[in-house]
Amino acid sequence: MLVCNMAAYVLLLVAFLSVFSGVLSFPVGQENRDTSTACGYQSCHATKPGMLNVHLVPHTHDDVGWLKTVDQYFYGDRNDIQHAGVQYILDSVVDQLLKNPDRRFIYVETGFFYRWWKQQSSSMQQTVKQLVNEGRLEFVNGGWCMSDEATTHYSAVIDQMTIGLRFLNETFGVCGRPRVAWHIDPFGHAREHASMFAQMGYDGFFFGRLDYQDRNRRMKAKEQELLWRASDSLTPPMADLFTGILPNGYNPPEGFCWDQLCTDEPIRDDPDLEDYNVDDVVQRFLQAAKSQASVYKTNHIIMTMGSDFQYENANLWYKNLDKLIRYVNGRQANGSNVNVLYSTPSCYLQELHRANLTWSLKTDDFFPYADNAHNFWTGYFTSRPALKRYERISNSNLQSCNQLEVLGGPVSRKGQFGRGDSETLRRAMAVAQHHDAVSGTEKQHVANDYAKRLAKGWQHCQVLVSNSLASLTGSLAERIYCDNLNISVCPLTESSKKFSVSVYNLLGRTVNWPVRLPVNGTAYSITDAQGKAVDCQVLPVSEATQEVRRNQGFARNELVFQVQAPPLGFSTYTISLLKDRPSSSLPRPAAPSVIQNKFLQVTFDPQTGLLTGLSNLETKQTIKLTQNFYWYNASDGNNYESRQTSGAYIFRPNSSTPVMVASKAKVESFQNSVVQEVRQWFAPWVSQVVRLYADSRAVELEWTVGPVPVNDRQGKEVITRLDTSIKTSEFFYTDSNGREVLQRKKDFRPTWQLKQTEPIAGNYYPINSRAFIKDDVNQLTVVTDRSQGGGSINNGSLEIMLHRRLLYDDYRGVGEALDESSEIYPHGLMVRGRLLLSLEPPASAADIHRPLAQEDVSQPLLSFTDGSLSPSSRLEFSGLQASLPPAVHLLTLSQWDEDSVLLRLEHQFQSWESKVNSQPVTVNLQKLFSSLDVLGFSELNLSANQWKDQMSRFDWTPEKGTGHSNLVWARLGVCWHDIEAPFRWLFLLVLCHFVLKGFINKVELR
């Protein structure tokens, strides 16, 4: 307990405020707007009580890449693929808004708007600002893109929302801040996204896609608008979000599309014309409005008047909408009770809030999504697995780049190695979060473009990282980055007789990490930053690795050793070739019966070479565990039940029984003091290495799949399946965007009675970073290195889809089969990845899998220098004074402006996960950094576009007795989120379970 004299407290508080006052003007930005203008809720048109108010929302949905690249969409290039040009849409909309002050328009994708804005004259910019200040042009959602919800990691989503919302704040001030989240096109909806949106300050959330069975039930019950309780750890209403399901996806009602891309008849209102149709249009509209109102709860309904890349000729839309409003409202004089108005999602939301009703409560998520009985959108959870992995690596690289920009100071951006920046990679990563990017649902040339953008961004960051490390180490030696270590390619290590590797750890705690470097020698010596010898071993490069790397590298061996790096810092290891001598690691041409370290024991069947069991030696747990590879035969549409094929979006196997790749594996094994590994060959296109490092609490399964053979004209969906003795009772668990974990059950949905029509695809869920199965005694957790799809089809079983090669399009618009190849892999894509397995008691399993998953997402960054280091070089550095507590994760550290940084800290344990680590934790921000003085700080919302103490949201009331939860709220206990308030002036921060906090910190380098 902290006790102090009240007078002293006040004096210190005043002193603190006087130091900090005025330091930070952001995030609100241009706060002093003209008070004579009204935006947001103040700009809404009046509605009429007692009438059915129809809110017409003019909008366009602009994919940041899909059938065309982001550049092609913006400029209107390649219209032979799809007619779409975003710059012309914005030109036309602004022109039309100026012609009638009643008109409204919403825009979503800030990445596109930013490009357009930069090209406008100052007078046009002032005109647009006036439209925004008057609420006639309104931004919704506001992220750089409309992110996917199944395959994105929460850290990348927060980043892309932050850069989009920051631009809107700095350009338009408070009138540019969106009040509503808007995800009209993503293919299913994650609970963690709703939680993030709530913590970003949104009042509500609207989406378009919903499982057809769920929608039918909700229409009957009038529950298409609801309260989503998006966390079982955060105290309500922190993660509560009002959620509305749009009536027509995001399209207009049938017969009322007046875009140049549409064929619906315009309103012909000259009574002298033979084909005068006003009465017919009005009557059809009134019928559509009343039909829609019958399945919603209030006397307000919303109609989305627009669709993909519409409003390139906005005059067509607005001219007909003006007429529609005039003629429908004209019927009121004759007793009609329908009132039509231009509106926005926020204005519609305001009317729902004013209704002061109670709303059904939802606590699970909206996965999986099906649009018909045999059309489950669960294939994209795995589609384009190489791109998914590259996006995940790029996120890790971006966080390293952000941190080193702060720790290295201004010289990191302009230094010894030239000009570097983090912004290029930050924007490339933001684009990659789009729901047709990392999802894998784009055309091949667009996927290539996303990867090129990430590669270009990383090149810019490499310069920044090199400058920063040069400053921190005092060494001006050139740094080399080897991006293909996973396939044993690094020209420097393959040829050099002496080199050093710097291991930068971007986590807030000390990390131990296995390093494998391609070499051509057979014996090496390694010393750490203190000059101590490091145990190392040399193993031959596997045949599988030689096959996957092709002619990109020529190393015969791999040098394997463990490194340790301090929190938010680096450690340097010096490596020297010794005189060649025979390798001490010789292969054994058979599977061992056991490999083990001090924590784990893994058993094999010597006859088949396959896994048979896993034991935790500390806790004395043992389970039966078998693992193999299988493939589902992808539907070609020749099926009496449905013509639906498997494709980039849809997973539809022809059979519920997968085909086993092989019942036996050809095996060789290696055992030494650093690592024990069993190399398994199942087929020419499937291999695996089972690894157990000396100090690891997890077993590594490194899989290599491809090229998937299709000479038999059968598309294949390749899985690995873990079968165990764990008694799961049909339950299993998956993460939501890498954060909270949700319970799943086979053939079950918490909020409606499921009629299962696809027993495999209908039981697949997104796995972003981990999944597990458990009973009362054992929990087997699988940590993944990218987003993948998976499920538990049989009790005690967990399967994960690794690769997909398909021969048909699935008729969802992309127009291509998911059949990837390249110059390096002309016969089909080869993919390599890894799974980490841990076995723990359920009560303590999170103490292992939480940090394990963070290490995999935020993996150390390796950089190499050739030859001997200067004696004056600094070999080790930590940006923190001490490791953060195990429960605390440093999510964000990035430069905000010249003398301030953005810092996000999170408590990474759910309320029920750990007896030890789910407890509140205190962090002293002033004593956090070793090389930065924190002069002041102020808390922000999650997206860094509002001060936390100024953030207010609509309150919503749930119906009593509604909703579903895996936990009883009473047993969660109470974590008082504002107990820290009196201690803020001491720079003390209290983090309760699963709370994520962001701050702007005024800092200076020491």
Side-chain angles (χ1 to χ4, degrees):
M1 178 179 288
L2 178 65
V3 180
C4 63
N5 178 274
M6 181 56 69
Y9 170 86
V10 173
L11 287 173
L12 284 168
L13 182 60
V14 170
F16 165 73
L17 293 174
S18 66
V19 169
F20 194 57
S21 177
V23 167
L24 305 173
S25 60
F26 192 79
V28 175
Q30 301 171 11
E31 296 173 281
N32 298 319
R33 61 182 174 86
D34 185 352
T35 55
S36 64
T37 64
C39 60
Y41 297 124
Q42 288 70 44
S43 65
C44 299
H45 290 310
T47 58
K48 294 187 177 182
M51 287 194 174
L52 174 59
N53 292 277
V54 183
H55 296 248
L56 302 182
V57 178
H59 80 106
T60 179
H61 175 59
D62 297 343
D63 290 303
V64 188
W66 179 38
L67 308 183
K68 306 197 294 188
T69 69
V70 60
D71 290 345
Q72 291 166 349
Y73 271 133
F74 180 76
Y75 285 104
D77 196 8
R78 292 302 308 273
N79 280 342
D80 57 313
I81 297 175
Q82 180 186 13
H83 187 97
V86 173
Q87 61 173 335
Y88 308 121
I89 293 172
L90 291 168
D91 288 343
S92 185
V93 164
V94 170
D95 176 68
Q96 289 299 312
L97 288 176
L98 293 172
K99 294 182 178 180
N100 182 347
D102 290 338
R103 293 173 176 175
R104 297 292 184 267
F105 194 79
I106 62 169
Y107 201 73
V108 179
E109 294 84 8
T110 305
F112 274 140
F113 188 86
Y114 169 80
R115 289 179 176 219
W116 180 83
W117 179 261
K118 288 194 304 178
Q119 297 178 357
Q120 305 310 304
S121 65
S122 58
S123 61
M124 175 55 74
Q125 289 181 350
Q126 284 302 121
T127 297
V128 173
K129 285 182 179 180
Q130 187 64 26
L131 290 174
V132 173
N133 286 341
E134 295 174 0
R136 294 155 67 184
L137 173 61
E138 180 176 304
F139 296 100
V140 297
N141 214 62
W144 207 246
C145 71
M146 186 185 295
S147 60
D148 182 56
E149 297 194 42
T151 63
T152 48
H153 192 267
Y154 73 97
S155 63
V157 173
I158 292 170
D159 282 350
Q160 78 89 7
M161 292 298 296
T162 298
I163 66 169
L165 293 169
R166 180 178 186 178
F167 167 77
L168 295 179
N169 248 2
E170 293 182 344
T171 306
F172 300 105
V174 67
C175 287
R177 178 171 62 83
R179 272 70 171 176
V180 167
W182 182 260
H183 268 211
I184 55 177
D185 197 25
F187 330 119
H189 302 280
R191 193 175 77 174
E192 192 60 36
H193 261 72
S195 176
M196 288 188 287
F197 287 147
Q199 294 175 72
M200 290 174 182
Y202 290 100
D203 285 321
F205 175 40
F206 291 94
F207 65 73
R209 297 187 186 271
L210 176 71
D211 185 275
Y212 74 103
Q213 292 185 50
D214 194 7
R215 182 183 285 277
N216 289 339
R217 186 200 69 80
R218 289 183 178 279
M219 288 174 68
K220 292 175 184 177
K222 293 189 176 183
E223 291 184 0
Q224 292 190 91
E225 291 160 336
L226 58 126
L227 183 61
W228 197 348
R229 181 150 291 163
S231 173
D232 57 21
S233 291
L234 299 177
T235 305
M238 283 183 65
D240 287 2
L241 188 66
F242 183 90
T243 300
I245 301 161
L246 297 171
N248 302 298
Y250 53 89
N251 300 306
E254 186 177 350
F256 298 92
C257 182
W258 291 305
D259 193 75
Q260 65 183 15
L261 301 174
C262 300
T263 58
D264 292 341
E265 61 182 30
I267 297 177
R268 299 184 294 268
D269 56 347
D270 185 343
D272 294 333
L273 294 178
E274 185 174 334
D275 50 2
Y276 173 84
N277 67 350
V278 169
D279 294 337
D280 175 66
V281 170
V282 169
Q283 192 59 37
R284 285 190 292 110
F285 184 84
L286 290 174
Q287 289 175 352
K290 291 176 181 178
S291 175
Q292 181 178 327
S294 69
V295 293
Y296 284 85
K297 203 168 182 177
T298 74
N299 65 322
H300 292 266
I301 61 172
I302 185 172
M303 290 185 179
T304 46
M305 308 307 284
S307 192
D308 291 353
F309 298 99
Q310 293 196 0
Y311 285 79
E312 193 170 309
N313 184 351
N315 179 52
L316 297 176
W317 261 114
Y318 282 115
K319 195 163 191 174
N320 284 280
L321 288 174
D322 286 349
K323 292 179 180 180
L324 180 70
I325 292 170
R326 182 167 73 253
Y327 291 122
V328 171
N329 289 347
R331 291 285 187 95
Q332 294 172 13
N334 296 323
S336 171
N337 71 335
V338 176
N339 180 56
V340 189
L341 64 151
Y342 280 117
S343 190
T344 66
S346 60
C347 292
Y348 174 66
L349 183 71
Q350 179 174 235
E351 295 298 338
L352 298 183
H353 185 253
R354 286 172 173 170
N356 197 28
L357 303 177
T358 60
W359 306 90
S360 64
L361 190 70
K362 183 178 178 67
T363 60
D364 58 312
D365 63 3
F366 290 94
F367 286 119
Y369 160 61
D371 61 27
N372 215 319
H374 300 285
N375 311 350
F376 279 86
W377 297 50
T378 54
Y380 80 97
F381 299 163
T382 298
S383 295
R384 301 194 187 278
L387 180 63
K388 282 178 164 62
R389 175 59 182 159
Y390 191 42
E391 181 273 338
R392 183 65 56 84
I393 293 170
S394 298
N395 186 36
S396 180
N397 288 341
L398 175 60
Q399 304 313 318
S400 295
C401 186
N402 287 338
Q403 293 178 7
L404 285 166
E405 183 176 9
V406 172
L407 298 174
V411 71
S412 61
R413 295 181 290 277
K414 183 181 179 182
Q416 170 72 19
F417 299 100
R419 290 183 179 272
D421 71 86
S422 57
E423 192 66 21
T424 305
L425 183 55
R426 188 175 297 116
R427 289 180 181 168
M429 271 296 297
V431 169
Q433 305 315 303
H434 169 58
H435 58 270
D436 284 308
V438 67
S439 60
T441 54
E442 63 279 81
K443 283 186 178 290
Q444 184 64 56
H445 78 104
V446 180
N448 295 344
D449 183 68
Y450 289 132
K452 289 176 183 176
R453 290 175 182 276
L454 293 172
K456 180 181 178 182
W458 175 225
Q459 289 174 351
H460 284 238
C461 264
Q462 285 179 9
V463 178
L464 185 153
V465 170
S466 293
N467 286 337
S468 180
L469 290 176
S471 173
L472 293 171
T473 63
S475 170
L476 302 182
E478 180 185 8
R479 291 187 176 270
I480 304 298
Y481 302 87
C482 294
D483 296 328
N484 294 316
L485 288 175
N486 67 321
I487 55 171
S488 292
V489 175
C490 180
L492 174 63
T493 65
E494 292 173 43
S495 59
S496 179
K497 293 183 179 180
K498 186 171 186 179
F499 59 92
S500 65
V501 54
S502 290
V503 182
Y504 178 74
N505 169 27
L506 57 159
L507 293 176
R509 55 183 170 80
T510 299
V511 162
N512 294 295
W513 187 260
V515 173
R516 307 175 69 89
L517 302 180
V519 295
N520 281 300
T522 57
Y524 290 81
S525 68
I526 303 179
T527 56
D528 64 15
Q530 287 73 42
K532 297 179 181 178
V534 175
D535 188 13
C536 62
Q537 298 289 334
V538 176
L539 284 74
V541 170
S542 69
E543 292 181 16
T545 295
Q546 293 177 47
E547 173 63 21
V548 74
R549 78 183 179 191
R550 303 293 166 93
N551 61 354
Q552 297 175 80
F554 303 95
R556 299 189 304 272
N557 300 314
E558 289 181 330
L559 176 64
V560 186
F561 58 102
Q562 288 272 355
V563 298
Q564 186 178 86
L568 216 67
F570 62 83
S571 192
T572 306
Y573 290 78
T574 303
I575 301 166
S576 301
L577 174 67
L578 300 177
K579 187 175 181 180
D580 272 1
R581 61 191 183 201
S583 174
S584 60
S585 296
L586 298 176
R588 299 177 185 178
S593 58
V594 172
I595 60 174
Q596 72 177 59
N597 62 16
K598 58 187 176 183
F599 302 117
L600 298 173
Q601 181 185 80
V602 187
T603 58
F604 295 83
D605 181 345
Q607 301 301 314
T608 63
L610 304 181
L611 283 166
T612 59
L614 177 62
S615 299
N616 185 322
L617 302 178
E618 281 190 308
T619 58
K620 296 180 172 53
Q621 295 171 265
T622 297
I623 61 169
K624 294 178 181 178
L625 170 63
T626 61
Q627 182 248 351
N628 209 325
F629 295 87
Y630 305 81
W631 56 272
Y632 289 105
N633 181 11
S635 173
D636 60 6
N638 187 18
N639 184 285
Y640 73 93
E641 289 184 320
S642 170
R643 305 292 293 177
Q644 181 60 56
T645 55
S646 261
Y649 300 92
I650 306 293
F651 171 35
R652 186 168 183 242
N654 267 345
S655 169
S656 297
T657 304
V659 179
M660 183 184 291
V661 172
S663 59
K664 294 183 179 181
K666 178 186 173 184
V667 172
E668 69 174 7
S669 62
F670 297 84
Q671 296 187 359
N672 57 54
S673 57
V674 176
V675 66
Q676 302 169 68
E677 63 180 52
V678 179
R679 299 176 177 179
Q680 303 168 314
W681 289 267
F682 294 85
W685 56 282
V686 178
S687 63
Q688 179 174 264
V689 182
V690 182
R691 289 197 183 100
L692 186 61
Y693 290 97
D695 296 319
S696 178
R697 296 178 181 271
V699 182
E700 177 183 315
L701 307 181
E702 184 187 67
W703 51 268
T704 305
V705 176
V708 178
V710 290
N711 294 334
D712 56 3
R713 300 302 300 163
Q714 296 185 73
K716 295 176 177 63
E717 324 241 18
V718 184
I719 67 166
T720 186
R721 195 175 74 202
L722 304 163
D723 295 306
T724 76
S725 55
I726 297 174
K727 298 175 176 61
T728 59
S729 302
E730 298 189 325
F731 289 100
F732 66 108
Y733 302 79
T734 64
D735 69 323
S736 181
N737 299 121
R739 277 204 101 213
E740 292 201 30
V741 172
L742 280 76
Q743 184 187 79
R744 312 296 191 182
K745 186 179 182 183
K746 180 184 175 184
D747 296 333
F748 177 77
R749 304 291 187 266
T751 51
W752 84 90
Q753 191 70 38
L754 174 68
K755 180 183 178 182
Q756 186 61 273
T757 51
E758 287 287 334
I760 305 301
N763 282 303
Y764 260 54
Y765 290 85
I767 301 170
N768 198 273
S769 66
R770 85 210 71 187
F772 59 80
I773 52 177
K774 68 175 184 175
D775 55 22
D776 292 339
V777 179
N778 300 302
Q779 178 171 321
L780 178 70
T781 305
V782 181
V783 172
T784 65
D785 66 350
R786 73 201 73 192
S787 290
Q788 295 169 310
S792 180
I793 308 302
N794 302 306
N795 277 326
S797 176
L798 183 64
E799 66 181 58
I800 297 174
M801 188 178 290
L802 306 177
H803 197 356
R804 315 179 73 214
R805 189 176 186 187
L806 308 172
L807 304 180
Y808 300 94
D809 177 49
D810 55 8
Y811 314 116
R812 293 305 184 277
V814 75
E816 283 183 0
L818 187 64
D819 185 7
E820 297 179 273
S821 61
S822 67
E823 290 183 7
I824 298 175
Y825 305 112
H827 302 296
L829 186 68
M830 297 185 74
V831 185
R832 172 169 285 182
R834 72 170 190 165
L835 306 173
L836 299 176
L837 312 184
S838 69
L839 176 65
E840 299 287 337
S844 59
D847 297 332
I848 302 299
H849 73 68
R850 283 285 174 191
L852 195 64
Q854 289 293 5
E855 287 178 21
D856 209 59
V857 170
S858 305
Q859 63 185 37
L861 174 64
L862 307 184
S863 61
F864 301 86
T865 55
D866 196 13
S868 299
L869 291 171
S870 166
S872 61
S873 296
R874 187 178 192 177
L875 301 183
E876 195 164 70
F877 164 83
S878 175
L880 300 184
Q881 293 189 31
S883 286
L884 290 172
V888 178
H889 174 54
L890 192 154
L891 181 67
T892 305
L893 178 65
S894 62
Q895 199 72 38
W896 191 261
D897 53 31
E898 186 176 347
D899 60 358
S900 62
V901 300
L902 175 62
L903 172 69
R904 291 190 182 99
L905 295 171
E906 65 170 313
H907 194 301
Q908 62 176 342
F909 284 82
Q910 289 179 247
S911 56
W912 48 269
E913 280 187 324
S914 170
K915 291 181 180 179
V916 176
N917 288 317
S918 291
Q919 300 303 312
V921 180
T922 302
V923 177
N924 189 326
L925 292 185
Q926 203 168 37
K927 295 181 178 179
L928 185 61
F929 299 106
S930 65
S931 58
L932 299 172
D933 284 323
V934 178
L935 306 179
F937 72 97
S938 188
E939 186 174 356
L940 304 165
N941 66 343
L942 185 57
S943 48
N945 66 324
Q946 296 179 74
W947 299 121
K948 184 65 179 291
D949 59 6
Q950 295 178 5
M951 189 180 89
S952 62
R953 300 197 301 134
F954 285 163
D955 291 322
W956 304 89
T957 305
E959 294 176 352
K960 293 182 179 180
T962 63
H964 164 85
S965 179
N966 300 331
L967 296 171
V968 179
W969 282 94
R971 66 177 253 228
L972 294 181
V974 177
C975 187
W976 300 104
H977 294 283
D978 43 328
I979 60 174
E980 66 186 52
F983 310 125
R984 281 294 179 85
W985 60 279
L986 289 175
F987 292 79
L988 293 178
L989 166 67
V990 179
L991 287 172
C992 297
H993 45 246
F994 235 63
V995 167
L996 203 167
K997 290 180 177 288
F999 304 89
I1000 290 288
N1001 294 261
K1002 181 175 174 58
V1003 299
E1004 64 180 16
L1005 284 170
R1006 290 178 181 169

